[in-house]
Amino acid sequence: MKAMIFAAGLGTRLKPITDTLPKALVPVCGKPLLWHVLRKLISSGISETVVNVHHFADKVEKWLDGAECIPGSPVTVHISDERDMLLETGGAVLHARPYLEGCGNFLIHNVDILSNCDLKWLESQVREDALATLLVSPRKTRRYLLFEPVSMRLAGWTDTQTGEVRMSDPSLEPSACLALAFSGIHVMSDRIFDVMAEYAAGKGLPEDSARFPITDFYLAAASRHPIYGVCLESLELLDVGKLDALEPAEAFVAKWQNY
């Protein structure tokens, strides 16, 4: 299985650090966030990865040229260049199509997410018919994905603060669905590219530079394609996308450094 790391973001919640450094290279325990994610991927048996770049792209590329994640375990890294325009999470996947198509399933991992998830276990949970498989948990958050209780098919999305609800099937009752927090870790089938291209075309977006969020795409596609959630009750996860998470991240890495 191949992987893609979302590393192109502006990292606005990590300012002023990201005024001079890309989020991917923000250090935790003396190593960049990108190092921690790559190390986790390699230890899970993934040896080919795509990294998208935009903010301080040159610095990310320079670091990758000299990176040694785990001695004796080489990883091939392809750069998906978004210097001209940040394509958001959905557009980023479609833009990386040349590197990922034909591999079957591939993993998506946010660069600012640390977790105790066994990625090999997640891969084993992927159903044959799944267009995408989303790692979720009962973690408290503001925004939740909604799933059909028995099948665990994606049914909608809700923002508990604003009360907004978006359903992929209007006939489904939101209160009857399971509300679970998305981890930023998911597995996609490479069949997804044709579906994404169709979605982009429907919005009048050129395939090679379409800009759209992955959640919007998932909600639009879920009515016609099986997108499942996999709930890991024991998931421990830390979003290192803001300044006050950097100190807890040090303790998190110390606890789970053998991932």
Side-chain angles (χ1 to χ4, degrees), residues 112-220:
D112 54 3
I113 292 295
L114 299 174
S115 84
N116 68 336
C117 178
D118 180 339
L119 299 180
K120 289 183 179 178
W121 170 84
L122 177 60
E123 183 180 6
S124 74
Q125 301 303 300
V126 175
R127 306 184 203 184
E128 189 175 347
D129 66 331
L131 189 71
T133 304
L134 320 181
L135 179 66
V136 293
S137 72
R139 176 173 53 94
K140 276 195 170 184
T141 186
R142 169 182 168 177
R143 300 176 183 89
Y144 291 93
L145 293 176
L146 303 176
F147 296 89
E148 296 179 25
V150 178
S151 68
M152 281 297 289
R153 280 190 65 156
L154 180 65
W157 171 93
T158 186
D159 184 323
T160 58
Q161 185 170 310
T162 65
E164 181 184 2
V165 176
R166 296 162 59 192
M167 300 300 292
S168 59
D169 183 348
S171 69
L172 294 173
E173 180 59 46
S175 61
C177 295
L178 295 176
L180 296 163
F182 183 39
S183 64
I185 302 171
H186 33 148
V187 177
M188 296 180 180
S189 163
D190 66 354
R191 300 190 311 273
I192 207 165
F193 291 116
D194 286 341
V195 184
M196 281 186 162
E198 181 183 354
Y199 174 81
K203 291 186 169 295
L205 302 172
E207 181 175 337
D208 61 348
S209 59
R211 187 174 188 267
F212 58 92
I214 194 64
T215 300
D216 288 356
F217 166 76
Y218 279 153
L219 292 173

Side-chain angles (χ1 to χ4, degrees), residues 36-166:
H36 291 287
V37 176
L38 280 170
R39 182 176 184 268
K40 187 175 181 72
L41 297 182
I42 293 169
S43 66
S44 301
I46 294 171
S47 60
E48 190 168 352
T49 302
V50 180
V51 177
N52 68 333
V53 295
H54 173 78
H55 187 54
F56 290 117
D58 292 347
K59 291 187 177 183
V60 177
E61 287 186 312
K62 183 178 179 180
W63 181 83
L64 284 168
D65 284 342
E68 293 184 5
C69 301
I70 300 179
S73 299
V75 58
T76 300
V77 179
H78 305 283
I79 297 296
S80 183
D81 197 333
E82 297 180 27
R83 282 177 174 87
D84 291 342
M85 180 173 63
L86 193 59
L87 299 175
E88 299 194 43
T89 48
V93 174
L94 187 55
H95 189 65
R97 182 174 190 167
Y99 303 111
L100 297 167
E101 192 166 35
C103 71
N105 292 329
F106 57 93
L107 179 85
I108 300 289
H109 201 299
N110 286 1
V111 77
D112 54 3
I113 292 295
L114 299 174
S115 84
N116 68 336
C117 178
D118 180 339
L119 299 180
K120 289 183 179 178
W121 170 84
L122 177 60
E123 183 180 6
S124 74
Q125 301 303 300
V126 175
R127 306 184 203 184
E128 189 175 347
D129 66 331
L131 189 71
T133 304
L134 320 181
L135 179 66
V136 293
S137 72
R139 176 173 53 94
K140 276 195 170 184
T141 186
R142 169 182 168 177
R143 300 176 183 89
Y144 291 93
L145 293 176
L146 303 176
F147 296 89
E148 296 179 25
V150 178
S151 68
M152 281 297 289
R153 280 190 65 156
L154 180 65
W157 171 93
T158 186
D159 184 323
T160 58
Q161 185 170 310
T162 65
E164 181 184 2
V165 176
R166 296 162 59 192

